[in-house]
Amino acid sequence: MSSGLFRSAIVLGLMSAVGPFSIDIYLPALPAIGEALDASVAATQMTLTVFFLSFGVSQMIYGPLSDQVGRKLPVYMGLTIFCLGSLGCAFAPTIEWLIAARFVQGIGAAVVMVIPRAIVRDLHTGYEATRLMAMIMLVISVSPMLAPLAGTGLIALGGWPTIFLFLAVAAICSIILVSTTLPETLAPENRTPVNFRTLVAGSRELLTDSRFMGLTLIGGCGLASFFVFIASASFVYTQQYGLSLLQFSLAFAVNAIGFFSSSQFAAGLGERFGMARMIAWATAGFFVIELCLLALTAAGLGSLPVLIAFLFAGNACLGLVIPTTMVLALDQHGHIAGLASSLGGTLQMVIGGLMIAAASPFFDGTALPMVATIAVCAVMAFAISRILRVGAPETHGAV
């Protein structure tokens, strides 16, 4: 492993972790937030839904902008907005205020989804890009493993507003890290002017590319299952299974380990068997595992060990799918990598937000609605992979 690849992974991973960390760290606080602001479970979950939606839609701003001005300036802009949104969350007097501030926070956080993927495409393609993306995922893995524990500690220290004050400080530290350690990867001669005509032309190119759309939607369905789990897990684990905040944080970390551990094998397996074929196999595995979990849960056999074990296995499949689909989707669009990263990220985040919104009316504090929605995501990912023939021999129309 080259020192340059390792250094890039560390810097990009730490920057990318700001977004997931801002989600995971306040999961233990969701019940307390609902109680403190006299809000229903659905209203409290709305703080996640609006974050995902603004997080997704705002990516359409940062990608094209970065194609024109370079990768670093949009990072400074986004992290500053994120910091302001975090402060708004910390001092929110009502649930409506908190929802609005989370919307602003999502606008800023979107930059850490777009720019790292565009930088990866600036630096590498193919297996090297997958290897770098997997290493970035490994750094990001600190978030789901430590963020809930950190959130639990901050709640004990000063209540749930302390979490958002911490996130504001983290945003400032990220700005300093980027300014001092991250080089500009898009040379001036490779930049693309942003105007309505080029945006329409680039978007048309991407939206009519079945390979790009298929890989993006498969990854989006996988991410949506994560978002549904994130929005529901704290209530399910603490209400149905009676876990403490610390126990919930540990259970959440176990489920995350499956994803990030398997992602480290994505490049090697892709090189050996073919990246598209690996995606097809892993998507099929995710489909089978989540349908089995749904059947067990519906039959009343969804104990806590069963839930954790099957989610772990399903997430391990997604660890092979998500980073690989991100790389392959951008592989043939290096000239508009920022726009491609933005559009792909927007589609994926909107899918996630809509799945949370669709599942919220059915949530009753038990695992079944959560498991059923995750199974729907798995069915959608599997169906798309089969319709678009992901992993099939290279013939016309195959991804």
Side-chain angles (χ1 to χ4, degrees):
M1 181 192 305
S2 69
S3 60
L5 196 68
F6 179 78
R7 181 174 179 273
S8 297
I10 294 295
V11 175
L12 294 175
L14 289 175
M15 181 175 70
S16 302
V18 171
F21 205 82
S22 67
I23 300 169
D24 300 334
I25 195 173
Y26 100 123
L27 294 182
L30 286 176
I33 289 173
E35 182 177 350
L37 300 182
D38 193 24
S40 65
V41 171
T44 305
Q45 289 181 325
M46 185 60 65
T47 63
L48 278 168
T49 301
V50 299
F51 181 91
F52 288 136
L53 291 176
S54 65
F55 189 75
V57 174
S58 299
Q59 292 181 47
M60 288 302 298
I61 299 173
Y62 296 115
L65 180 62
S66 74
D67 283 338
Q68 174 169 303
V69 304
R71 309 305 186 197
K72 295 184 69 171
L73 180 59
V75 173
Y76 299 145
M77 294 171 52
L79 289 175
T80 299
I81 295 171
F82 177 84
C83 182
L84 295 174
S86 298
L87 292 174
C89 292
F91 297 103
T94 65
I95 191 64
E96 292 79 13
W97 180 295
L98 182 61
I99 289 171
R102 284 287 284 175
F103 185 86
V104 174
Q105 198 182 36
I107 293 174
V111 75
V112 301
M113 186 77 169
V114 176
I115 303 302
R117 292 196 296 191
I119 290 175
V120 169
R121 180 57 185 82
D122 290 341
L123 298 174
H124 302 286
T125 60
Y127 303 122
E128 282 298 302
T130 302
R131 189 168 287 109
L132 176 56
M133 186 64 75
M135 291 169 62
I136 292 171
M137 290 288 183
L138 183 61
V139 177
I140 296 175
S141 67
V142 172
S143 172
M145 287 189 281
L146 297 184
L149 292 172
T152 300
L154 289 169
I155 292 170
L157 184 65
W160 63 265
T162 311
I163 292 174
F164 295 104
L165 294 175
F166 174 83
L167 290 174
V169 173
I172 295 171
C173 292
S174 295
I175 292 173
I176 296 172
L177 177 68
V178 170
S179 66
T180 56
T181 63
L182 184 68
E184 178 57 63
T185 59
L186 186 63
E189 61 270 20
N190 293 329
R191 297 177 186 178
T192 304
V194 176
N195 55 55
F196 182 75
R197 183 172 59 83
T198 58
L199 284 177
V200 170
S203 297
R204 183 185 297 115
E205 174 186 333
L206 295 168
L207 292 172
T208 56
D209 182 349
S210 62
R211 174 187 172 89
F212 173 84
M213 290 300 297
L215 292 167
T216 296
L217 293 177
I218 291 169
C221 291
L223 284 173
S225 73
F226 277 143
F227 298 158
V228 170
F229 173 71
I230 286 169
S232 308
S234 60
F235 297 101
V236 171
Y237 282 175
T238 58
Q239 293 179 12
Q240 178 175 349
Y241 297 109
L243 300 187
S244 67
L245 290 181
L246 178 59
Q247 291 170 329
F248 158 70
S249 300
L250 294 173
F252 187 88
V254 168
N255 286 326
I257 289 172
F259 176 90
F260 293 106
S261 298
S262 66
S263 70
Q264 300 311 298
F265 298 98
L269 291 174
E271 191 170 3
R272 181 175 180 181
F273 299 107
M275 296 171 74
R277 183 177 297 177
M278 180 188 69
I279 291 172
W281 290 348
T283 302
F286 178 52
F287 168 77
V288 172
I289 289 166
E290 298 307 335
L291 285 187
C292 289
L293 177 59
L294 176 59
L296 290 171
T297 304
L301 302 175
S303 64
L304 181 61
V306 167
L307 181 68
I308 291 176
F310 275 83
L311 288 175
F312 179 94
N315 288 345
C317 292
L318 292 179
L320 301 176
V321 172
I322 292 176
T324 312
T325 54
M326 288 179 177
V327 168
L328 287 185
L330 270 64
D331 223 17
Q332 297 177 359
H333 300 285
H335 60 295
I336 49 172
L339 176 60
S341 179
S342 289
L343 182 60
T346 294
L347 292 172
Q348 291 178 342
M349 299 306 293
V350 169
I351 291 171
L354 291 177
M355 290 303 295
I356 294 175
S360 290
F362 302 98
F363 183 76
D364 58 3
T366 69
L368 183 58
M370 178 185 75
V371 170
T373 309
I374 291 174
V376 169
C377 295
V379 171
M380 291 169 58
F382 179 75
I384 294 168
S385 72
R386 289 300 175 267
I387 292 171
L388 296 177
R389 301 177 61 215
V390 175
E394 290 296 329
T395 57
H396 181 70
V399 175

